[in-house]
Amino acid sequence: DEMIIREVWAPGGDTYGVSPNGRYLNYIDWTAIELAVKDLETGKSWNITSRGTWNDPVQFPDISIWSPDGKQLAYYWFNGESTEIWIANFDGTEDRLVVSDVKLPWIIDWSPDGKHLLAINNVSDPEKPLGHHDQLVLISVVDGSLSILKSFDELHTCHMKFSPDGKYIAIDVGHCQQGENGDIYLLALDGSSEGWLVTDPANDREAMWSPDG
């Protein structure tokens, strides 16, 4: 099969992903300081937030991810003092706060069943090489409750991905005391198993699953 590359938009800075049906892009409109969506079929774009400002208190969006059914976006919002996690329909309706005053550096993935967000929680720890240790957490999209899946002590995490059946998570893990070279860790959500999937001197990153898992 021949690979075909087609430009769909330029410039496309701060674009985070393609919707599951392949039609929409989620990105940040820095002119308006809002989270936005672009329709690749019609070329139309629209903002799904309406509270961004550079005036005090500063307000702006950050990373956003699509729900498995492509109908919603979960996103970070900086409210001038702390970070919040919101979920909105991709047309901008029913925008709701899920978690307030969080120290999560980013949300990474949405569970295939649509019930949880996968995120990294930084826990302050001045004795660690980075001044903190990382926790993998699940966030309920219903009530914003957090459950800890795993804590990494001397290591930090960079990227995670649910398996298509939602039973496993493939995790990029870096060795803080050995530079930035990373390995791949596999974790079963039910706690039945976990361990290293890839360990070598190379910088192994961005583990992705095949469609059949």
Side-chain angles (χ1 to χ4, degrees), residues 26-46:
N26 55 315
Y27 70 102
I28 297 178
D29 177 353
W30 285 117
T31 300
I33 323 174
E34 306 292 354
L35 183 63
V37 171
K38 184 176 184 65
D39 187 329
L40 295 177
E41 289 189 7
T42 66
K44 180 183 177 181
S45 296
W46 60 91

Side-chain angles (χ1 to χ4, degrees), residues 69-125:
D69 61 9
K71 296 180 179 180
Q72 296 178 304
L73 283 162
Y75 66 93
Y76 279 114
W77 188 268
F78 182 71
N79 67 8
E81 296 181 354
S82 64
T83 305
E84 302 168 337
I85 296 176
W86 291 68
I87 291 178
N89 293 338
F90 83 100
D91 62 0
T93 60
E94 299 184 20
D95 194 13
R96 64 184 177 90
L97 178 65
V98 179
V99 182
S100 61
D101 191 25
V102 296
K103 300 296 189 293
L104 305 176
W106 55 76
I107 42 178
I108 305 296
D109 201 9
W110 203 316
S111 63
D113 62 9
K115 295 180 179 180
H116 294 93
L117 302 173
L118 182 63
I120 300 171
N121 186 21
N122 284 163
V123 179
S124 179
D125 191 341

Side-chain angles (χ1 to χ4, degrees), residues 33 51-61 77-82 84:
I33 323 174
R51 54 191 184 277
T53 178
W54 295 131
N55 298 322
D56 288 332
V58 172
Q59 306 263 339
F60 61 87
W77 188 268
F78 182 71
N79 67 8
E81 296 181 354
S82 64
E84 302 168 337

